[in-house]
Amino acid sequence: RLKPFNRLQVILQHLKMSKHTDLTAEVLLEKRGGAGIITLNRPKALNALNLSMIQQIYPQIKTWEQDPETFLIIIKGTGGKAFCAGGDIRAITDAGKVGDRLAQDFFREEYILNNAIGTCKKPYVALIDGITMGGGVGLSVHGHFRVATEKTLFAMPETAIGLFPDVGGGYFLPRLSGKIGYYLALTGFRLKGRDVLKAGIATHFVESEKLPALEKDLIALKSPSTENIADLLNSYHVKSKVDEEKKFVLDEHMEKINSLFSAKSMEEIVKKLKQDGSPFAIKQLETINKMSPTSLKMTLRQLREGASMSLQDVLTMEYRLSQACMRGHDFYEGVRAVLIDKDQSPRWKPAALEEVTDEFVDDCFKPLGNNDLKL
């Protein structure tokens, strides 16, 4: 038996540890009132999503979905800068290079989580305060409610790193009005604040400083229905006056976006942009010229096909594309240029759109047999 002093030491050590692990947990899962609350807790990494976070969030959503005492799920990020700036790309890159399973598991489990959010039977409220990109979009956009604030910064910048706008991008992007989704996907254009609502990505807009009060009110709702939750969100939304008068940032360009980005091929989009020759068109050309030609072709087809698919079929398609990227060249080169060496000058292979053959693109979309994503 331990001496009393030693026992006390062990107990203190244990207390210190349990308190310590709670504070440093990468994701906090708690039940408050009628709400299950998911808090992404990697502020230094802008709450980037890694595999262990996915593996904690998924079963918890499934449990809450079955729990008669849980009426809604809230997801948010800590640190004040980001909701979630994306997936843990560095870890995936390292794994992919050496053929580690993580490059398969990460995408597989992330997409299964995206689908769980998209099919969740309980109202799901994402507080997308701050940077919301890539993987962070997947954690929010498929749920019932997305609350943007003046600090929200939304983008799907994947074509710049040799990837494609995944996490169900092929489902929600082509369903935005006109060709906004195609424009966002191909150029990585960033939407800020109220524009995230106006583009149809957020469902509500609430000032950032009002979020704690909103959360408290959501938690306090007694056995709420989806309508009750919508009413509460609406009551906050109508009181939010920040940037109310501002025009949608893409307003004056919508006509051009709708015509220029309706082309069936990337070559045609580029041709149309050149023919248009307006300052806006030239700017888009410059942006598109920096992107991975392979990613651009993959993305355009992903969105065109995804426009008429279910979320499940889209995620299955995107899993195939993710594995094509892991087998290819541009993803590793893009991550090197943008995230590792930060020289911002990726050397894409192939380097021109014309060199990316239809056969190659077809190959990226081929089923993976037993390795296909099963939802």
Side-chain angles (χ1 to χ4, degrees):
R1 286 179 58 209
L2 290 169
K3 293 189 179 121
F5 174 69
N6 283 1
R7 245 177 56 210
L8 184 66
Q9 252 187 333
V10 169
I11 291 165
L12 281 172
Q13 188 62 35
H14 179 72
L15 280 172
K16 204 165 123 194
M17 266 171 64
S18 64
K19 197 172 165 204
H20 182 70
T21 46
D22 269 352
L23 291 176
T24 55
E26 295 176 320
V27 59
L28 310 172
L29 303 160
E30 53 186 328
K31 180 78 195 300
R32 284 169 44 205
I37 300 174
I38 302 164
T39 309
L40 309 173
N41 190 35
R42 294 181 72 203
K44 285 199 176 73
L46 298 176
N47 298 324
L49 188 64
N50 61 27
L51 187 58
S52 92
M53 291 161 80
I54 293 167
Q55 287 169 341
Q56 292 171 70
I57 295 168
Y58 175 78
Q60 187 62 75
I61 287 179
K62 287 298 182 193
T63 304
W64 280 333
E65 205 174 12
Q66 298 306 315
D67 174 27
E69 298 302 304
T70 304
F71 297 96
L72 73 152
I73 296 170
I74 298 170
I75 186 166
K76 59 180 183 168
T78 51
K81 269 195 185 152
F83 164 66
C84 170
D88 197 349
I89 293 290
R90 291 289 287 268
I92 301 163
T93 312
D94 296 342
K97 277 183 189 160
V98 295
D100 187 297
R101 274 204 62 93
L102 176 72
Q104 292 167 35
D105 295 345
F106 180 86
F107 290 105
R108 187 185 297 277
E109 297 194 32
E110 183 182 27
Y111 297 176
I112 289 171
L113 172 57
N114 298 149
N115 185 53
I117 293 166
T119 56
C120 188
K121 291 177 185 67
K122 300 284 165 85
Y124 183 96
V125 183
L127 306 176
I128 54 171
D129 189 31
I131 301 164
T132 305
M133 295 184 184
V137 176
L139 289 177
S140 54
V141 81
H142 305 297
H144 301 84
F145 303 109
R146 284 89 62 192
V147 181
T149 74
E150 71 281 5
K151 288 170 38 186
T152 305
L153 178 62
F154 166 97
M156 294 297 274
E158 286 79 7
T159 55
I161 55 162
L163 218 60
F164 59 98
D166 65 334
V167 296
Y171 182 79
F172 84 88
L173 288 164
R175 284 166 173 78
L176 298 176
S177 71
K179 294 290 172 188
I180 289 184
Y182 291 78
Y183 172 68
L184 295 173
L186 296 168
T187 65
F189 184 81
R190 298 175 168 207
L191 291 169
K192 297 184 178 109
R194 213 176 262 274
D195 286 335
V196 179
L197 173 84
K198 289 179 178 159
I201 292 150
T203 56
H204 295 80
F205 181 89
V206 174
E207 274 101 348
S208 185
E209 61 178 44
K210 298 278 193 324
L211 288 183
L214 170 61
E215 192 181 328
K216 214 170 123 193
D217 286 349
L218 284 167
I219 290 165
L221 289 171
K222 295 277 174 271
S223 341
S225 64
T226 305
E227 287 71 39
N228 301 145
I229 293 161
D231 289 344
L232 177 60
L233 292 170
N234 288 336
S235 73
Y236 271 81
H237 174 80
V238 295
K239 288 191 211 110
S240 294
K241 301 298 179 209
V242 171
D243 290 340
E244 207 178 21
E245 304 306 311
K246 268 199 179 153
K247 253 188 19 209
F248 179 45
V249 66
L250 295 173
D251 224 11
E252 56 187 300
H253 304 303
M254 272 324 295
E255 221 175 299
K256 280 199 193 304
I257 287 172
N258 292 341
S259 70
L260 298 168
F261 286 86
S262 64
K264 289 184 173 62
S265 71
M266 269 319 297
E267 286 90 340
E268 211 181 315
I269 290 175
V270 167
K271 195 173 134 192
K272 281 181 147 193
L273 287 166
K274 282 179 178 158
Q275 283 170 347
D276 183 278
S278 64
F280 174 76
I282 289 164
K283 203 173 157 195
Q284 305 325 308
L285 265 177
E286 282 171 8
T287 303
I288 283 171
N289 278 329
K290 293 187 181 124
M291 304 306 188
S292 154
T294 301
S295 290
L296 289 168
K297 286 208 168 174
M298 208 184 256
T299 299
L300 182 58
R301 176 157 162 194
Q302 169 208 359
L303 266 56
R304 288 177 61 84
E305 294 197 5
S308 56
M309 286 170 137
S310 68
L311 176 61
Q312 290 70 39
D313 288 344
V314 165
L315 290 166
T316 303
M317 163 179 76
E318 290 180 357
Y319 184 70
R320 293 167 184 168
L321 296 178
S322 77
Q323 297 312 294
C325 290
M326 294 303 104
R327 296 193 299 266
H329 164 274
D330 279 8
F331 170 65
Y332 304 101
E333 174 57 11
V335 171
R336 180 205 65 73
V338 176
L339 299 176
I340 298 172
D341 301 340
K342 295 188 168 78
D343 58 26
Q344 310 301 330
S345 37
R347 287 185 279 286
W348 305 122
K349 276 187 203 155
L353 282 169
E354 295 70 35
E355 294 166 20
V356 183
T357 65
D358 291 346
E359 292 78 46
F360 179 82
V361 178
D362 287 345
D363 203 46
C364 299
F365 282 81
K366 282 203 179 116
L368 300 170
N370 288 337
N371 291 325
D372 254 334
L373 178 67
K374 289 160 197 69
L375 293 170

